[in-house]
Amino acid sequence: MAKSSSQSLLDRFNNSANALGLVFMLPAAAILLVFLTYPLGLGLWLGLTDTKIGRPGVFIGLENYRSLFNDSVFWLSVFNTIGYTAVASVFKFVLGLILALLLNQNIALKSFMRAIILLPWIVPTTLSAIAFWWMYDSQFSIISWVLVKAGLIDHYIDFLGDRWNARISVVVANIWRGIPFVAISLLAGLQTISPSLYEAATIDGATPWQRFRFITYPLLTPIIAIVMTFSVLFTFTDFQLIYVITRGGPVNATHLMATLSFQRAIPGGQLAEGAAIAMAMVPFLIAAILISFFGLQRRAWQQGSKD
Amino acid sequence: MSKKPVVQSVEEKVYSEGGMDFLLTRQRKFVTVYLPLAVFTFILLFPFYWMTITTFKSNDDIYNYEKNSPFWVFNPTLHNIKKLLFETSYPDWLWNTFLVSVVATAISLFASVLAAYAIERLRFKGSRWIGLSIYGAYLVPPSILFIPLATMVYKLGLFDSRWALILTYPTFLIPFCTWLLMGYFKSIPFELEECALIDGATRVQILWKIVLPLAVPGLISAGIFAFTLSWNEFIYALTFISSSENKTVPVGVLTELVDGDVYHWGSLMAGALFGSLPVALLYSFFVEYYVAGMTGAVKE
């Protein structure tokens, strides 16, 4: 009796989607709640306290945000972050799209090309950033050496010592790292476009630009929206490239919000202030996620599905 | 060849080329396709080339471009690699990175398979919302979590231990893997599961014996991606680890190989090269899975 009732209980459990779903969700939910949701709330709380390393803080309201509001370095980091994200994303999109269109042609060694082009994205960013750091060296930069040899400049470029040179240098490194992701994702989108559309357009006398503008671009829009949301999101919260190449210097000229947050919180010991800077990134991230959401909606609408 | 009508072979040609570019002449194609492609490839690969040849150069050649052309190694030396392997904790860093990546990946895959199956197939109450919140979790960047996580890691007594990384890496691995696997599970026909249910299989048996074997490509994609993401992680490893022997490769190379203002570029490049090789090798074996994983995650 007891055995059969426990069996049927087990059976019922096995066939109940809700109970089984709960158990199956447990490991992932536990890890994410403890190490993702809770820290998010804790970060918000820390930003409202005066916690320092080694000293638990007390609630001080919006004091951190008020002092950040009057902090010129913080505002510099905000503008740097927006500029860095905007410039890098535009170049990543344009160059990535061009590369995707090139790879979509009938070329020799297509899959091999696709494979090696993804390398900058696979290799640890920190390590490729160290290679850029070396190429930007003030005395031994290979870029300067080639330009001097070619007679284009007469003295070595001070890549990382000058404010604007440093900004351009880190943006270039970021674009270099981001192109493969954009290109390969857009290539996957391009490959879903039926060739018959291009044939029909060509027979009707469309120019290559018209074929791009009226076939490729509209059909690619949904995937562009998603890819660029990811790209913007990860560029906006970038930390590694800046930390390796400039550490925010010279004189804070390349500090992003993420690197400033680290700088203040960990070496500086001002955990609360760092947390407040990190939290100040959240509104921008929400904006990016909303864009992604509406991009997805539009995609569903274009495919004529209700879901 | 001779059996096929001419018209059909033209048609096949159009489809196989995926466009109208057979209308281009050879010279025009060279200028509009191959030349720009070569420029892209050169720029994207040059830093790796530079990293590699610097590794094998003697100090003499690293700092003197006039004697020998800087673009080739004339007196190859293993000096930089020897220094890296025997005078620094580099082998420890490699081992730490490997261990942390493998364990974090295994934990994440286990949790993700169950979660993805539950969301996609069990369709329990609220599974749609859970699916969306997993997507949201993927969009939470480590750079806004590392400060609160650092205080947590410290309170839990995990500071400066591998466990700090093993437990925090799943926060970005699980959302990614779950999202990827949901896409794969979606492509497995419901009928297979229904047949098994009629034959008396339990849900666990169905997952283990029917769904997982069919989702092997997805598991490989998720696994190698998770491994790569863990291997490349930087900000958590930089914040949570302080002693040299517990560091991971990206952090160790940056913080330990630079002493003061003296940059030993030879060993720095050797460290960067050998830290990149494992993921580059893994990548070269599984290119198709990487591409599928990346584009799958974007498309879903």
Side-chain angles (χ1 to χ4, degrees), chain B residues 156-269:
Chain B
L156 291 171
L158 298 173
F159 188 75
D160 202 17
S161 90
R162 294 182 193 126
W163 280 105
L165 305 182
I166 289 172
L167 289 175
T168 50
Y169 285 5
T171 56
F172 56 87
L173 300 181
I174 289 178
F176 180 82
C177 294
T178 307
W179 200 253
L180 193 73
L181 288 171
M182 278 166 65
Y184 271 91
F185 289 167
K186 204 183 278 177
S187 67
I188 297 170
F190 262 114
E191 288 77 4
L192 284 174
E193 283 189 65
E194 283 164 4
C195 285
L197 276 173
I198 291 167
D199 289 346
T202 63
R203 282 291 187 172
V204 179
Q205 283 174 323
I206 291 173
L207 173 60
W208 184 247
K209 293 191 173 153
I210 295 175
V211 176
L212 279 190
L214 288 171
V216 165
L219 289 175
I220 296 177
S221 275
I224 51 173
F225 243 101
F227 182 84
T228 309
L229 288 174
S230 317
W231 189 279
N232 297 0
E233 206 286 327
F234 182 66
I235 189 166
Y236 290 163
L238 179 71
T239 314
F240 306 155
I241 303 292
S242 67
S243 51
S244 175
E245 69 271 16
N246 288 335
K247 282 181 176 166
T248 62
V249 171
V251 178
V253 169
L254 188 70
T255 55
E256 302 275 328
L257 295 185
V258 180
D259 40 66
D261 288 339
V262 189
Y263 304 136
H264 302 286
W265 288 113
S267 40
L268 264 173
M269 287 301 110

Side-chain angles (χ1 to χ4, degrees), chain B residues 23-251:
Chain B
L23 295 176
L24 293 177
T25 62
R26 204 174 268 268
Q27 291 85 345
R28 184 135 178 244
K29 191 167 174 183
F30 179 79
V31 175
T32 57
V33 178
Y34 284 107
L35 203 63
L37 212 50
V39 173
F40 267 111
T41 316
F42 175 78
I43 293 172
L44 290 176
L45 295 186
F46 183 76
F48 298 117
Y49 176 72
W50 194 234
M51 194 192 269
T52 312
I53 61 166
T54 308
T55 301
F56 294 102
K57 277 184 188 175
S58 62
N59 269 341
D60 210 27
D61 282 348
I62 290 178
Y63 300 114
N64 187 352
Y65 292 166
E66 303 306 325
K67 202 171 91 193
N68 290 318
S69 160
F71 292 106
W72 191 244
V73 189
F74 289 95
N75 309 302
T77 167
L78 294 178
H79 171 80
N80 294 318
I81 297 168
K82 210 175 112 194
K83 196 177 155 204
L84 187 74
L85 293 181
F86 297 107
E87 290 170 35
T88 69
S89 310
Y90 198 79
D92 288 342
W93 306 336
L94 272 177
W95 173 241
N96 288 333
T97 320
F98 180 76
L99 204 66
V100 167
S101 304
V102 167
V103 179
T105 301
I107 293 175
S108 307
L109 269 188
F110 173 75
S112 303
V113 164
L114 291 178
Y117 182 74
I119 294 168
E120 194 54 52
R121 278 302 157 88
L122 292 178
R123 292 272 169 209
F124 58 92
K125 239 184 195 167
S127 57
R128 209 179 124 75
W129 286 109
I130 301 269
L132 272 178
S133 60
I134 293 264
Y135 182 62
Y138 180 55
L139 301 177
V140 177
S143 40
I144 70 172
L145 285 180
F146 74 97
I147 295 172
L149 274 176
T151 64
M152 283 176 67
V153 159
Y154 198 79
K155 277 202 186 120
L156 291 171
L158 298 173
F159 188 75
D160 202 17
S161 90
R162 294 182 193 126
W163 280 105
L165 305 182
I166 289 172
L167 289 175
T168 50
Y169 285 5
T171 56
F172 56 87
L173 300 181
I174 289 178
F176 180 82
C177 294
T178 307
W179 200 253
L180 193 73
L181 288 171
M182 278 166 65
Y184 271 91
F185 289 167
K186 204 183 278 177
S187 67
I188 297 170
F190 262 114
E191 288 77 4
L192 284 174
E193 283 189 65
E194 283 164 4
C195 285
L197 276 173
I198 291 167
D199 289 346
T202 63
R203 282 291 187 172
V204 179
Q205 283 174 323
I206 291 173
L207 173 60
W208 184 247
K209 293 191 173 153
I210 295 175
V211 176
L212 279 190
L214 288 171
V216 165
L219 289 175
I220 296 177
S221 275
I224 51 173
F225 243 101
F227 182 84
T228 309
L229 288 174
S230 317
W231 189 279
N232 297 0
E233 206 286 327
F234 182 66
I235 189 166
Y236 290 163
L238 179 71
T239 314
F240 306 155
I241 303 292
S242 67
S243 51
S244 175
E245 69 271 16
N246 288 335
K247 282 181 176 166
T248 62
V249 171
V251 178

Side-chain angles (χ1 to χ4, degrees), chain A:
Chain A
M1 267 300 268
K3 195 187 169 198
S4 83
S5 95
S6 80
Q7 279 259 314
S8 73
L9 205 67
L10 190 70
D11 281 350
R12 264 164 57 198
F13 172 75
N14 273 328
N15 291 320
S16 155
N18 285 339
L20 205 60
L22 191 73
V23 173
F24 275 21
M25 283 306 300
L26 210 61
I31 293 176
L32 292 182
L33 286 176
V34 174
F35 291 105
L36 194 120
T37 315
Y38 174 70
L40 259 184
L42 184 63
L44 195 61
W45 164 252
L46 279 176
L48 302 173
T49 66
D50 61 350
T51 311
K52 291 185 172 58
I53 284 187
R55 199 201 74 181
V58 292
F59 182 78
I60 55 165
L62 294 173
E63 194 48 50
N64 286 319
Y65 293 95
R66 199 170 298 144
S67 78
L68 283 180
F69 192 81
N70 297 318
D71 183 345
S72 63
V73 177
F74 170 71
W75 284 111
L76 182 63
S77 80
V78 173
F79 291 126
N80 282 341
T81 311
I82 294 171
Y84 180 76
T85 310
V87 176
S89 298
V90 167
F91 275 93
K92 274 189 269 196
F93 171 62
V94 173
L95 294 171
L97 183 60
I98 292 173
L99 184 54
L101 290 170
L102 289 172
L103 287 171
N104 200 33
Q105 306 288 317
N106 181 38
I107 51 168
L109 299 171
K110 191 168 179 165
S111 53
F112 177 73
M113 289 297 288
R114 198 179 60 177
I116 56 171
I117 272 166
L118 208 48
L119 258 187
W121 192 71
I122 294 296
V123 161
T125 310
T126 320
L127 303 180
S128 50
I130 292 175
F132 268 91
W133 190 23
W134 168 220
M135 292 195 299
Y136 289 150
D137 189 87
S138 56
Q139 279 178 288
F140 302 105
S141 167
I142 186 68
I143 304 167
S144 292
W145 186 81
V146 168
L147 292 177
V148 167
K149 282 283 158 191
L152 294 173
I153 53 174
D154 52 8
H155 58 273
Y156 275 35
I157 301 169
D158 187 10
F159 283 104
L160 303 177
D162 173 85
R163 296 164 69 89
W164 280 101
N165 281 353
R167 282 179 182 145
I168 295 168
S169 303
V170 288
V171 166
V172 167
N174 183 284
I175 295 169
W176 174 85
R177 191 192 175 273
I179 287 176
F181 171 74
V182 177
I184 301 297
S185 303
L186 293 185
L187 178 62
L190 285 175
Q191 283 167 343
T192 63
I193 299 175
S194 163
S196 54
L197 293 173
Y198 294 109
E199 288 158 35
T202 311
I203 290 165
D204 289 346
T207 63
W209 167 250
Q210 284 171 326
R211 274 178 298 187
F212 172 78
R213 175 65 190 81
F214 296 108
I215 299 173
T216 313
Y217 184 72
L219 286 172
L220 212 54
T221 312
I223 204 161
I224 290 175
I226 299 167
V227 170
M228 289 321 291
T229 312
F230 274 99
S231 176
V232 166
L233 206 67
F234 291 125
T235 313
F236 195 88
T237 57
D238 195 12
F239 172 83
Q240 314 189 11
L241 265 178
I242 303 291
Y243 188 80
V244 173
I245 299 178
T246 66
R247 303 244 166 144
V251 214
N252 303 322
T254 57
H255 252 314
L256 299 186
M257 289 165 86
T259 53
L260 187 70
S261 156
F262 179 86
Q263 181 71 33
R264 296 267 168 97
I266 306 300
Q270 306 284 343
L271 284 175
E273 206 184 322
I277 297 173
M279 282 300 140
M281 292 196 278
V282 170
F284 296 99
L285 301 182
I286 289 174
I289 291 164
L290 287 179
I291 292 167
S292 165
F293 184 73
F294 288 116
L296 284 165
Q297 293 291 93
R298 185 170 169 180
R299 174 187 167 82
W301 170 76
Q302 280 183 335
Q303 289 176 340
S305 102
K306 275 183 184 172
D307 193 34

